[in-house]
Amino acid sequence: MAEHMSQSELDYPFRLLEYVNGFRVSKAIFSACELGVFDLLLKSQEPLSAERVARELSANVDGTERLLDALVGLEILEVETTDGKALYSSTDVANLYLAKGSSKSLHDMIIYQSQTIYPLWNNLLDAVREGKNQNEKTFGHLPEDFFQVIYRSEEEMLKFMGLMNNSWILDGHDIATAFSLSCFQTIVDLGGCTGALAREMAKVYPSSSVTVFDLPQVVETARKHFSQENDAVAFQTGDFFSGELPDADLYVLARVIHDWPEEKCLPLLKKIYDTCKPGGGTLVVEAMLFENRRGPVMAQIFSLNMLVQTEGRERPPSEYVHMLNEAGFQNVQVCRTGKSYDAILAIK
């Protein structure tokens, strides 16, 4: 903003005020999702009044009207006035991304942001001062036990798995097509969670066998809540840090490396390199920073989130290439997708 700040922004800081108030915008969307506003409007055959929405959702009429008006201002809802009465309806964007039933719904991602990420970010100041995650202060768990926070109950595990599922339904195709992976006959997604990214890869490369490798409780929950009829993806239980890896031509590490410091990532990458046959490799998927530290802002925000929630960070391509080289991989290619997540392919 500083380099390109116009005189009008110096006269009155519209953009700065937008940033400062960003948390209110987020919480308005979070609250509407948690209340079920978007699901109600999607199911309705006609626009609804604030009184009707409040009654259906067991909410206060005045509070509901204010929330609906804010969502109209954000262009997430639409409003029309008939005989002096405001009637609200959903936009196409809300129907596609915010209602539960849509094939591209981000509802589970938003619930996780509201109920897990938002409380952690209340302690961002302490995270910056201390240089460690805020799981103990927020949820009563030791900093090194951050996955115990994520998996502390089946309900919490489902929230996190819903977040991951939404992420790859949205970005999975771009990752699967970032490089041509058709030469890899067996693909194993290490820490593949619900299998959403693996399914995208199975769609793009139907001649390849694709397997999700994850902890037993994750696989059990994935099979119970996220399985699909005639699923093209197999599931296998194990721990990629402490156990042996299944044989594969390509190992996928999607949003895994960013959880951990380099000293924990390097042994895993070396294990993958040692397990790979010549011509095999690994696909690392992360939100990559620019080398000049000027963005992308989403990746920079994600890196702050790694500070408050995990032991890791987001990195520029050079740091991933360095780690992969240290592990033994010399043939490394980087692809920026232009979306939330980028890809690095390393071949042995």
Side-chain angles (χ1 to χ4, degrees):
M1 184 171 71
E3 277 192 347
H4 308 289
M5 190 178 291
S6 64
Q7 184 60 46
S8 61
E9 188 73 18
L10 291 172
D11 291 339
Y12 195 88
F14 288 101
R15 192 167 14 160
L16 181 61
L17 289 174
E18 183 180 344
Y19 295 160
V20 169
N21 284 288
F23 76 97
R24 304 176 203 247
V25 173
S26 299
K27 202 59 182 174
I29 298 170
F30 294 168
S31 298
C33 278
E34 291 179 89
L35 283 167
V37 168
F38 304 111
D39 305 298
L40 175 64
L41 292 176
L42 176 61
K43 292 173 185 174
S44 176
Q45 300 299 308
E46 58 186 6
L48 301 179
S49 66
E51 291 84 354
R52 174 75 182 279
V53 173
R55 185 170 67 252
E56 294 287 340
L57 302 180
S58 301
N60 174 266
V61 174
D62 178 50
T64 299
E65 185 174 60
R66 296 186 200 202
L67 178 60
L68 295 175
D69 285 343
L71 294 169
V72 169
L74 294 170
E75 300 183 356
I76 293 173
L77 296 183
E78 294 177 346
V79 66
E80 59 188 59
T81 303
T82 304
D83 297 329
K85 195 173 193 66
L87 299 173
Y88 300 88
S89 58
S90 275
T91 60
D92 290 340
V93 167
N95 287 335
L96 184 61
Y97 292 113
L98 298 177
K100 286 182 186 177
S102 167
S103 62
K104 290 190 175 183
S105 175
L106 301 181
H107 182 271
D108 290 345
M109 177 189 292
I110 288 166
I111 297 301
Y112 186 79
Q113 299 275 14
S114 179
Q115 297 181 5
T116 301
I117 302 300
Y118 194 88
L120 282 164
W121 276 67
N122 279 328
N123 295 312
L124 175 62
L125 176 60
D126 291 323
V128 172
R129 282 176 170 161
E130 298 164 8
K132 65 180 184 180
N133 71 55
Q134 296 300 301
N135 287 305
E136 185 171 14
K137 189 167 293 181
T138 310
F139 300 115
H141 288 258
L142 294 175
E144 60 270 22
D145 296 335
F146 60 89
F147 266 99
Q148 290 187 21
V149 175
I150 291 171
Y151 296 153
R152 63 189 183 272
S153 68
E154 184 177 15
E155 179 186 5
E156 293 302 321
M157 182 183 292
L158 277 172
K159 287 179 190 175
F160 175 74
M161 293 177 75
L163 160 76
M164 298 300 288
N165 203 64
N166 285 178
S167 297
W168 299 129
I169 287 174
L170 193 64
D171 290 294
H173 181 77
D174 293 289
I175 294 303
T177 56
F179 300 98
S180 176
L181 306 177
S182 56
C183 59
F184 301 108
Q185 293 302 300
T186 56
I187 300 173
V188 171
D189 188 354
L190 299 173
C193 202
T194 67
L197 177 57
R199 289 186 186 96
E200 290 298 322
M201 291 191 163
K203 288 178 191 174
V204 177
Y205 308 105
S207 63
S208 300
S209 68
V210 186
T211 300
V212 169
F213 184 81
D214 215 319
L215 298 171
Q217 66 267 38
V218 176
V219 169
E220 180 183 357
T221 305
R223 285 171 171 160
K224 182 178 177 182
H225 294 280
F226 297 94
S227 62
Q228 295 185 2
E229 191 175 350
N230 302 318
D231 207 336
V233 172
F235 285 84
Q236 183 175 340
T237 63
D239 186 329
F240 52 70
F241 277 124
S242 61
E244 292 186 3
L245 302 179
D247 290 335
D249 298 318
L250 180 71
Y251 295 93
V252 179
L253 287 168
R255 296 180 66 180
V256 172
I257 299 298
H258 75 163
D259 288 333
W260 311 97
E262 184 172 329
E263 58 266 26
K264 188 155 187 178
C265 297
L266 265 176
L268 174 60
L269 292 172
K270 287 178 180 177
K271 181 192 287 190
I272 291 172
Y273 180 82
D274 291 340
T275 307
C276 277
K277 299 171 185 176
T282 184
L283 181 73
V284 175
V285 181
E286 298 290 359
M288 289 191 290
L289 300 167
F290 293 149
E291 300 288 351
N292 63 9
R293 311 184 75 86
R294 294 184 180 275
V297 66
M298 188 63 69
Q300 292 167 324
I301 296 297
F302 284 172
S303 197
L304 271 179
N305 191 69
M306 293 297 99
L307 174 65
V308 299
Q309 189 176 22
T310 72
E311 294 177 356
R313 62 189 307 119
E314 308 299 348
R315 299 172 172 93
S318 61
E319 292 188 25
Y320 290 109
V321 171
H322 168 74
M323 282 193 285
L324 288 162
N325 289 161
E326 284 287 304
F329 294 100
Q330 297 305 314
N331 183 358
V332 182
Q333 305 171 63
V334 176
C335 176
R336 288 195 179 273
T337 67
K339 304 287 180 64
S340 295
Y341 300 101
D342 305 305
I344 299 178
L345 181 62
I347 306 297
K348 181 174 181 178

